[in-house]
Amino acid sequence: MELSCCLLLLLLVSALWPITCGDSAAQEVRGTVGGAVRLKCNINTSLPVKGVYFQKKNLSGVYDILVNGFYIHPIDEYIHPEYKNRTSANRTERSLDFWDLKASDEGYYKCFLMPQDTLRSYDTVFHLTIAADYSVPTVTVRQCSERGEGAQSCELGCSSFGGYPLANLSWTLSEGSNEVLLQEGGSMSLADKHSGVWNVSQTVRLNCTQPTNVSCSVGGAISPPISICTQSSPKHTLKVIIASVVLFLFIFILLSVFISWRPCRRPQRSDEERTAEGQELNPSSLDQAG
């Protein structure tokens, strides 16, 4: 009974401590989802102590969630169930080992230390931030429809998973393109119940009149570009084929008419043939020869 009363009093004092001291001197600690960190009290390890424990600040701003620690008597029954199998207190280094981190572990923590033979206490505040890399986004072309004059409207989807904190998807078009994102078809964000990481997706509709490369990015992860509008629509292609056939037939008919109406030309004769013909037509030349 005496142990329980002392420990509860100790927890109450530490819980009320942030009301006067605040978190201005918090040490920044960064972790990743599924990774591990160590929180070490800022105190000389040679100082004899009778108790060290680590607490997390709740949503009301009070440090009343016991993560782990040690006292002159066991305190396992007071440790919050969320941390019993993921934390360990190091008596020698006055530190807390924290593994299998989750997004929900992000927040402020305090190391509360009680030396022996003194009423003075020491504490160290930590600000733990959690991050997780998003997967490389996947971009898919869901459908494309003709809008006339060779233009197309394409619906694109992009998705990525396993990231933290929550981030927005963004789109990038090839440089120099005149395409315009008409509207967002819808966005979805879903957090994993265990780890707290986010799965995000989004659809957009894009107008295009020429081949265009499109990519999607989120949280520093960028998708490989995909090409859209690389082929003309079937109706547009049919129009081009018909126009080409008509032009070919017109040129063929024009050439045929030109060839059929071309005037016939007599073959050229040699000088001897022209001289002989002239003598045959001139009687005086025949008399002189006789």
Side-chain angles (χ1 to χ4, degrees):
M1 182 67 180
E2 181 181 356
L3 171 61
S4 299
C5 292
C6 293
L7 185 57
L8 289 175
L9 178 62
L10 188 63
L11 294 176
L12 178 61
V13 171
S14 65
L16 296 176
W17 185 262
I19 297 177
T20 57
C21 293
D23 299 322
S24 58
Q27 296 184 16
E28 295 293 334
V29 180
R30 302 182 185 277
T32 59
V33 173
V37 294
R38 170 172 288 186
L39 309 181
K40 187 174 182 179
C41 299
N42 187 20
I43 191 66
N44 187 347
T45 55
S46 63
L47 179 67
V49 297
K50 57 183 178 182
V52 174
Y53 57 94
F54 295 82
Q55 288 181 275
K56 184 182 180 182
K57 182 193 287 188
N58 64 17
L59 296 178
S60 300
V62 180
Y63 290 90
D64 65 349
I65 304 174
L66 182 60
V67 178
N68 211 319
F70 60 89
Y71 193 57
I72 53 179
H73 299 287
I75 62 171
D76 291 350
E77 61 180 296
Y78 299 99
I79 297 176
H80 194 282
E82 177 68 20
Y83 306 106
K84 279 190 174 183
N85 298 320
R86 298 192 298 125
T87 61
S88 176
N90 188 311
R91 289 176 175 267
T92 303
E93 296 189 4
R94 287 80 185 271
S95 64
L96 175 74
D97 289 325
F98 207 154
W99 60 87
D100 192 20
L101 292 172
K102 304 177 182 179
S104 58
D105 293 328
E106 193 169 66
Y108 284 91
Y109 294 80
K110 178 175 288 188
C111 162
F112 194 82
L113 184 146
M114 296 189 66
Q116 290 181 355
D117 303 326
T118 178
L119 295 177
R120 183 179 179 182
S121 62
Y122 301 85
D123 68 4
T124 306
V125 178
F126 307 91
H127 180 215
L128 175 61
T129 56
I130 304 296
D133 294 333
Y134 281 89
S135 66
V136 176
T138 301
V139 179
T140 56
V141 180
R142 299 189 175 181
Q143 65 175 2
C144 287
S145 58
E146 185 187 5
R147 295 183 60 86
E149 300 300 328
Q152 289 184 327
S153 178
C154 294
E155 183 179 277
L156 308 177
C158 178
S159 60
S160 178
F161 59 89
Y164 189 85
L166 179 62
N168 294 324
L169 290 163
S170 60
W171 297 83
T172 303
L173 305 180
S174 55
E175 185 176 356
S177 61
N178 59 353
E179 285 66 24
V180 178
L181 286 172
L182 297 181
Q183 61 182 358
E184 293 185 6
S187 299
M188 180 178 296
S189 302
L190 182 64
D192 182 82
K193 293 182 179 180
H194 173 71
S195 64
V197 296
W198 289 94
N199 301 330
V200 295
S201 61
Q202 187 181 70
T203 59
V204 295
R205 184 164 289 276
L206 175 72
N207 271 354
C208 50
T209 57
Q210 61 184 9
T212 302
N213 290 331
V214 183
S215 61
C216 172
S217 61
V218 58
I222 304 175
S223 71
I226 66 170
S227 297
I228 59 174
C229 289
T230 55
Q231 295 179 351
S232 301
S233 63
K235 292 183 180 180
H236 180 70
T237 303
L238 182 60
K239 292 178 181 179
V240 172
I241 293 175
I242 293 174
S244 300
V245 171
V246 171
L247 180 61
F248 174 77
L249 290 176
F250 175 77
I251 295 175
F252 176 77
I253 294 173
L254 184 63
L255 289 175
S256 299
V257 172
F258 176 76
I259 294 173
S260 62
W261 286 93
R262 182 181 179 184
C264 296
R265 297 182 61 185
R266 297 175 62 184
Q268 295 182 356
R269 294 170 297 174
S270 62
D271 294 341
E272 291 79 2
E273 291 176 344
R274 287 196 295 270
T275 301
E277 183 181 357
Q279 289 177 352
E280 291 176 359
L281 298 176
N282 191 348
S284 60
S285 299
L286 295 175
D287 293 343
Q288 291 177 2

